[in-house]
Amino acid sequence: MIKTTNKNIKKILLKKELTKEDIIILLSSDIEGRNILYRKSAEIKDKYVGRTSYYRGLIEFSNICSKNCYYCGIRRDNKFPVRYELDDETILSAVKFAFENKFASIVLQSGERNNNLFTKRIENLLKKINKLTNSQLGITLSSGEQSEEIFRSWRDAGAHRYLLRIETSNKDLYYKIHSNDDKHNFEKRLKALENLQKIGYQTGTGIMIGLPFQDYEHLSDDLLFFKNFDIDMVGMGPYIEHAETPLFRFNKMLMPAKERFNLTLKMIAILRIMMKDINIAAATALQAIDPIGREKAIKIGANIIMPNITPSENRKNYRLYENKPCIDESAEDCTNCLEARINIAGDNIGYGKRGDSKHYFNRIAL
Ligand code: 5AD
Ligand code: SF4
Ligand code: FES
């Protein structure tokens, strides 16, 4: 085993490419070592994407989901959340809020459904949003795995970006947190991600950090997976247990929440060093552990923040994990609150700018 010394860390940070072993050493760094890592990642953020964070107004438009991921609070078999689907008018009024407040981008997120009624509805909704905003908003969709044809129809209707977290790039671990069946198939998920990239979306993925059975090797492989895939955007956050889910029974195996949090920050910092021009989100789950968690992520490398603009009355039913922040706040509350916080973290907000992934344009120009 290679010893993790600060000298070692400094040496690794001078390298052009990081190996799996290098990443494992960085992930195991102590407080002093991780501060060296954070200084480097902040420097790279400054240089390549600048000290601007971009808003994505997050609209969780439906918590109805046909899947049963073992970790998720809104999984199909969970009887507790009241299921909802926002109507077009409500969604459009949230879109208007984002547009008028110069957010410049929105994320439409929901559980996964594959029926025609749902997929057509999204297509129509996208057209309405573009009409309302003169096609000026950056639109990210996050509604799970769909056929290539559906992905294309949504792209044609005006979606620019798509988020589909791989959750873990390790197949064995994937099947520890999902059942192994047609609805939860690792190869299919990978294929869906490849299709998104092929169709021309700015493609985003991500993982959860601190899952039961997960180790540094898995996490190191995840970062290399993002790099090899040439991904444009990444959102990764700590795994947070939810009592009404099957994965909860492995709770005793988890590292303390604070450690999951610190590990997430290290992952973000290393990723920024490995992929200098991508967009990295400061995941909301960070704030479930540390009240200024998202700001800490912004400081060391993240550049995207997703203020929740879902109508307040629905937020409590979109609880993927426990302690989800901003459940009782309104869109205005979160917006005002966030700006001050981000300024403290050293960033301005890119009001009126879409903040597309620079990596995407560099990638397609090649
Ligand atoms: N803890 C943290 N993140 C979670 N997600 C779902 N459940 C949890 C949880 N318990 C994440 C998944 C999913 C995204 C929408 O939310 O990564 O892709
Ligand atoms: Fe559905 Fe996504 Fe939750 Fe899985 S993680 S159950 S696909 S909402
Ligand atoms: Fe929601 Fe601060 S970001 S209340």
Side-chain angles (χ1 to χ4, degrees):
M1 169 127 175
I2 310 165
K3 227 177 135 234
T4 309
T5 62
N6 291 341
K7 208 170 135 210
N8 238 334
I9 291 192
K10 282 184 185 151
K11 217 163 111 193
I12 290 172
L13 292 176
L14 289 173
K15 287 183 158 187
K16 242 184 118 89
E17 298 276 336
L18 300 183
T19 63
K20 178 166 172 174
E21 289 67 35
D22 293 334
I23 298 171
I24 293 175
I25 294 175
L26 294 176
L27 289 174
S28 354
S29 57
D30 61 10
I31 296 187
E32 224 182 298
R34 83 177 186 223
N35 285 336
I36 300 172
L37 168 67
Y38 294 162
R39 269 201 298 281
K40 174 81 179 187
S41 61
E43 214 177 88
I44 289 184
K45 175 182 166 180
D46 273 27
K47 190 164 162 203
Y48 289 86
V49 291
R51 291 251 49 128
T52 303
S53 284
Y54 299 95
Y55 275 167
R56 311 309 187 208
L58 173 65
I59 307 170
E60 297 159 330
F61 68 92
S62 173
N63 66 353
I64 304 171
C65 188
S66 62
K67 288 176 87 164
N68 247 331
C69 306
Y70 290 162
Y71 43 84
C72 177
I74 63 169
R75 61 198 300 274
R76 188 189 65 212
D77 288 354
N78 196 345
K79 300 283 175 293
F80 293 94
V82 177
R83 301 292 168 171
Y84 71 85
E85 179 161 11
L86 301 183
D87 56 26
D88 279 10
E89 199 189 328
T90 312
I91 299 174
L92 289 171
S93 94
V95 168
K96 203 157 163 261
F97 173 86
F99 193 54
E100 284 171 355
N101 284 280
K102 303 211 161 21
F103 280 21
S105 288
I106 55 163
V107 177
L108 293 169
Q109 187 164 67
S110 72
E112 180 176 318
R113 278 144 81 194
N114 311 101
N115 62 64
N116 219 1
L117 211 66
F118 178 74
T119 56
K120 265 279 165 228
R121 184 203 168 194
I122 296 197
E123 188 181 337
N124 290 330
L125 182 65
L126 287 165
K127 290 181 183 156
K128 284 191 189 172
I129 293 173
N130 276 316
K131 196 159 167 229
L132 179 76
T133 60
N134 283 325
S135 301
Q136 282 177 35
L137 272 186
I139 305 177
T140 310
L141 269 179
S142 180
S143 293
E145 289 163 46
Q146 305 289 343
S147 67
E148 187 177 339
E149 186 194 347
I150 297 298
F151 281 153
R152 271 190 204 283
S153 71
W154 291 348
R155 178 92 174 96
D156 292 343
H160 311 102
R161 319 178 179 124
Y162 205 99
L163 299 176
L164 186 73
R165 285 189 176 179
I166 192 77
E167 314 296 359
T168 169
S169 62
N170 182 283
K171 194 169 156 179
D172 292 337
L173 182 57
Y174 191 86
Y175 289 124
K176 287 200 162 76
I177 61 171
H178 303 95
S179 51
N180 187 344
D181 56 30
D182 202 46
K183 269 258 158 224
H184 309 79
N185 179 286
F186 182 73
E187 274 83 22
K188 263 191 171 171
R189 195 156 186 89
L190 202 55
K191 184 77 196 153
L193 204 57
E194 284 165 3
N195 282 339
L196 288 165
Q197 194 180 50
K198 182 176 81 181
I199 293 166
Y201 281 98
Q202 290 177 52
T203 309
T205 192
I207 53 151
M208 284 175 288
I209 296 160
L211 287 163
F213 311 105
Q214 189 185 45
D215 58 28
Y216 288 171
E217 266 202 59
H218 295 128
L219 293 172
S220 176
D221 284 337
D222 289 334
L223 292 177
L224 291 165
F225 168 81
F226 300 151
K227 174 101 185 164
N228 293 334
F229 196 93
D230 218 359
I231 204 77
D232 303 310
M233 328 182 282
V234 172
M236 48 186 177
Y239 163 66
I240 297 170
E241 62 274 32
H242 190 301
E244 274 98 38
T245 59
L247 211 61
F248 195 72
R249 70 194 165 97
F250 298 112
N251 236 22
K252 298 259 172 335
M253 289 174 65
L254 298 179
M255 60 178 96
K258 197 75 210 167
E259 269 176 50
R260 278 175 261 160
F261 175 87
N262 286 329
L263 198 51
T264 304
L265 285 192
K266 286 180 184 170
M267 287 286 285
I268 291 175
I270 301 168
L271 180 63
R272 175 55 74 204
I273 293 167
M274 291 170 72
M275 301 190 78
K276 300 178 170 41
D277 57 354
I278 64 169
N279 277 349
I280 304 179
T284 311
L286 283 164
Q287 203 183 326
I289 300 181
D290 182 325
I292 53 163
R294 287 185 287 185
E295 295 72 12
K296 288 182 178 168
I298 294 281
K299 204 164 171 201
I300 58 118
N303 66 329
I304 299 293
I305 197 140
M306 294 160 53
N308 198 329
I309 57 168
T310 310
S312 314
E313 61 270 27
N314 299 107
R315 291 192 192 185
K316 61 179 184 302
N317 292 315
Y318 208 92
R319 231 181 278 229
L320 304 167
Y321 45 81
E322 289 169 1
N323 285 328
K324 196 166 172 241
C326 311
I327 294 283
D328 298 317
E329 276 74 15
S330 68
E332 286 85 355
D333 291 339
C334 283
T335 308
N336 295 334
C337 165
L338 267 177
E339 172 158 11
R341 287 158 162 264
I342 290 169
N343 290 341
I344 291 168
D347 270 24
N348 331 308
I349 293 160
Y351 284 115
K353 295 187 198 132
R354 270 165 51 164
D356 288 301
S357 165
K358 287 192 172 148
H359 186 80
Y360 172 78
F361 294 107
N362 292 338
R363 175 165 71 76
I364 60 172
L366 283 179

